[in-house]
Amino acid sequence: HSAAPWISVSHLIPEQYTVYDIPVKECPTQDNVMVTIDVSIIFRVITEDEKALYNFCYRLGPDKLDKMLKAFQEEAIRGMVRKRKYNEIYDLMDIDHDKQLDGTRRDLNNHFNEYGVEIASLAVTNVHLPKHFADTMQEESIWGTRDAFNKLEQQFRLQTIDLKEVEAKAKQKFREDLATFTAEQDSLVADKNKDLAKVKAETNKQIAVVKEQEKADVMEIDSKAKLTVAQINSKRDVLLSKIRQEGKAEADRLKVESGTYVATKKAEASKEIAENEAKCMELTAEAEAAAARELGARRMYEKKMRSLQSLRALSQNDELCIAGNHNDNIV
């Protein structure tokens, strides 16, 4: 929030609820016992209504509010306490009494709403009795509690005895029912075992018949299978013998034909080889004759060159000395 500097703020009013606690002391009960009652009031300032807010700020204010709350609160509480005896004073803190305090709260609102105050809640938080009266009430409460406890304990013991008798009877009945049920079930089991024995005997009989029939069928199937196998083996042997004979004859025929064919081919190859060798010798001779004519001069040249190379080698050998007699000159 912000305001201009020339604007002054005269009052700050909170919008939240305020708790107002105050004890009401020396309240006489119906039997003239002085007690102290702690009362808690929750209120708020009504800020929604400008007129009510103005009345709170300028007609009531916090000081008057405090005095008026104390006065009205004491008047209301003393009136309620005066209607009760000291042993009933603690009833003021019960929930039922809170409902009765709603009337007091409405009366307070009827008076304070004009000044912009709303009472939200009114409750008695504690009650203080003189010590000897409080001790007396406490002893009465303890003895009353003990008496109630003893009565409840006696009732519990009686109920425990009754429950034990009921439990014993129930167990006895259960044992009798169990024995009867067991006998019936044993008889039923015996009957079922007899029926089961009959079924097993009949089943074993049928199994024996089936096994005998099975053996006969197996023997019959075995003999038929052996006969069939013998027939198949006989046919197989005949076919194998026939195939062997035919294969041997075919092999001999192929062997003769192959030998003839090989011999013929060898003769043709020998003839062709002889002709080719003759042609080769003829071509070789012709080639050598032509080469002899063409290479005669070359061979003479090479011969002379080898001679000259020998003489050159001799001339270059310083350790060689040649001696000879040619007329009167010695070389």
Side-chain angles (χ1 to χ4, degrees):
H1 300 284
S2 61
W6 57 86
I7 295 177
S8 62
V9 178
S10 62
H11 297 82
L12 291 177
I13 307 301
E15 294 183 350
Q16 70 269 20
Y17 286 89
T18 303
V19 180
Y20 183 81
D21 292 324
I22 185 170
V24 180
K25 300 179 180 180
E26 300 297 328
C27 296
T29 63
Q30 189 177 4
D31 46 5
N32 293 321
V33 176
M34 297 298 176
V35 297
T36 300
I37 308 296
D38 292 338
V39 181
S40 176
I41 296 177
I42 299 176
F43 69 92
R44 75 179 184 95
V45 179
I46 302 173
T47 58
E48 297 85 3
D49 188 355
E50 292 185 0
K51 183 179 179 180
L53 187 62
Y54 178 85
N55 290 335
F56 174 78
C57 294
Y58 295 101
R59 292 181 57 190
L60 183 66
D63 293 336
K64 290 183 179 180
L65 175 63
D66 181 55
K67 293 177 181 180
M68 291 178 68
L69 281 176
K70 285 182 180 179
F72 278 95
Q73 181 175 303
E74 286 189 4
E75 181 181 357
I77 296 302
R78 288 181 186 277
M80 288 187 295
V81 171
R82 192 64 178 173
K83 296 177 182 179
R84 289 172 173 77
K85 295 181 179 181
Y86 79 91
N87 56 356
E88 299 174 352
I89 201 66
Y90 284 105
D91 296 340
L92 292 175
M93 294 188 294
D94 292 344
I95 295 176
D96 295 334
H97 183 69
D98 288 344
K99 294 179 181 178
Q100 296 176 7
L101 289 175
D102 286 341
T104 305
R105 182 179 61 82
R106 284 193 296 269
D107 295 337
L108 291 174
N109 280 325
N110 291 334
H111 178 75
F112 283 102
N113 284 161
E114 180 183 356
Y115 299 99
V117 177
E118 178 186 4
I119 307 300
S121 176
L122 175 64
V124 175
T125 58
N126 201 356
V127 175
H128 303 279
L129 282 169
K131 187 176 184 307
H132 61 280
F133 285 102
D135 293 341
T136 302
M137 290 183 64
Q138 184 176 4
E139 289 177 0
E140 291 177 357
S141 176
I142 291 173
W143 283 109
T145 305
R146 286 180 180 176
D147 184 55
F149 174 76
N150 292 330
K151 290 180 180 179
L152 289 174
E153 186 177 14
Q154 184 179 4
Q155 184 180 359
F156 172 74
R157 289 176 180 175
L158 292 174
Q159 289 180 353
T160 303
I161 294 171
D162 294 339
L163 288 174
K164 286 182 178 179
E165 291 179 356
V166 172
E167 183 181 3
K169 292 179 180 179
K171 287 182 178 180
Q172 181 63 30
K173 188 176 183 304
F174 175 75
R175 284 194 290 267
E176 293 175 356
D177 294 341
L178 180 61
T180 303
F181 177 76
T182 304
E184 292 176 355
Q185 294 301 317
D186 290 341
S187 176
L188 182 61
V189 169
D191 294 338
K192 294 297 181 182
N193 287 332
K194 291 180 182 178
D195 295 338
L196 179 62
K198 291 180 181 179
V199 171
K200 286 184 177 179
E202 185 65 26
T203 303
N204 292 330
K205 181 180 178 181
Q206 293 178 1
I207 290 173
V209 172
V210 170
K211 286 185 177 180
E212 292 297 328
Q213 185 64 38
E214 181 185 3
K215 289 180 181 179
D217 293 340
V218 169
M219 292 177 65
E220 182 179 358
I221 292 169
D222 190 33
S223 61
K224 289 181 179 179
K226 289 181 179 179
L227 178 61
T228 303
V229 170
Q231 292 175 353
I232 292 172
N233 288 334
S234 177
K235 290 180 180 179
R236 182 198 62 188
D237 295 338
V238 172
L239 289 174
L240 287 175
S241 178
K242 182 177 179 182
I243 291 169
R244 287 194 188 97
Q245 294 298 327
E246 291 177 355
K248 185 177 181 181
E250 183 68 19
D252 293 339
R253 184 180 67 79
L254 291 174
K255 186 176 182 180
V256 172
E257 289 180 357
S258 63
T260 304
Y261 179 78
V262 170
T264 302
K265 290 299 180 180
K266 283 183 178 180
E268 291 176 356
S270 299
K271 179 181 177 182
E272 188 172 354
I273 289 170
E275 291 176 355
N276 289 334
E277 288 180 352
K279 288 181 180 180
C280 183
M281 291 176 67
E282 183 178 356
L283 290 174
T284 302
E286 291 178 357
E288 287 180 353
R293 288 194 301 271
E294 294 296 331
L295 297 175
R298 181 178 178 83
R299 291 174 179 169
M300 182 61 70
Y301 172 76
E302 290 177 352
K303 180 180 180 181
K304 290 181 178 180
M305 286 300 294
R306 285 195 294 273
S307 178
L308 289 175
Q309 290 175 356
S310 299
L311 292 175
R312 181 180 296 171
L314 292 173
S315 64
Q316 293 177 353
N317 191 354
D318 296 335
E319 296 179 357
L320 178 66
C321 179
I322 300 174
N325 188 2
H326 186 266
N327 293 324
D328 293 330
N329 295 327
I330 296 175
V331 181

